[in-house]
Amino acid sequence: MVERLQFLKRVVDWLRAGYPNGVPQEDFVPLFALLRRQLSEEEARSVSADLISEQGSRPPPVEPISKIDAAVKITAITQDLPHEDDIDRVRRHLEASGWPFDDEPLRPGPPD
């Protein structure tokens, strides 16, 4: 809780320094985009490790880890919809560990 309060104070101080006369209305959306929660590098590694551990003892590549699975894990940490940048970082960690990543898990498979 204290860390969040310190973070919010730093954000408010930053905004006041950058906008001493107040934030112009046209700058609200870009500012909120900057302030949106993103994964730290350590969190991206942790999400990747969690996704791999959920695969059990099966060696890769049994089944690709899906973008949806990664997004759900990221959302659990950030309490917000994941950024594509965060998903890409998790993908890179997974692929570096030998796990395939499925960007389109809802696409129809080949006909039987």
Side-chain angles (χ1 to χ4, degrees), residues 3 6 10 24 26-27 30-31 36 46-47 53 58 74-75 82 86 88-90 92 95-96 99 103 105 110:
E3 285 182 23
Q6 290 173 345
R10 287 193 317 255
E26 64 271 10
D27 288 355
L31 279 174
R36 194 168 179 195
S46 176
V47 166
S53 72
R58 297 180 293 180
I74 293 167
T75 300
D86 289 334
D88 287 341
R89 287 179 27 234
V90 168
R92 286 192 301 271
E95 290 174 345
W99 288 91
D103 268 317

Side-chain angles (χ1 to χ4, degrees), residues 16-108:
R16 286 184 178 148
Y19 295 98
N21 298 322
V23 178
Q25 189 168 8
E26 64 271 10
D27 288 355
F28 282 147
V29 173
L31 279 174
F32 281 120
L34 288 174
L35 297 174
R36 194 168 179 195
R37 170 78 159 86
Q38 292 184 327
L39 291 181
S40 68
E41 194 58 31
E42 182 179 323
E43 289 169 329
R45 281 191 297 272
S46 176
V47 166
S48 302
D50 287 350
L51 289 166
I52 289 170
S53 72
E54 288 175 0
Q55 297 295 316
S57 59
R58 297 180 293 180
V62 174
E63 184 175 317
I65 293 174
S66 79
K67 183 176 185 176
I68 293 172
D69 293 334
V72 168
K73 288 280 186 197
I74 293 167
T75 300
I77 292 172
T78 63
Q79 304 300 308
D80 202 352
L81 293 175
H83 290 247
E84 283 297 319
D85 290 346
D86 289 334
I87 293 172
D88 287 341
R89 287 179 27 234
V90 168
R91 174 193 301 109
R92 286 192 301 271
H93 284 290
L94 290 168
E95 290 174 345
S97 298
W99 288 91
F101 190 85
D102 186 356
D103 268 317
E104 298 180 38
L106 299 178
R107 74 176 177 272

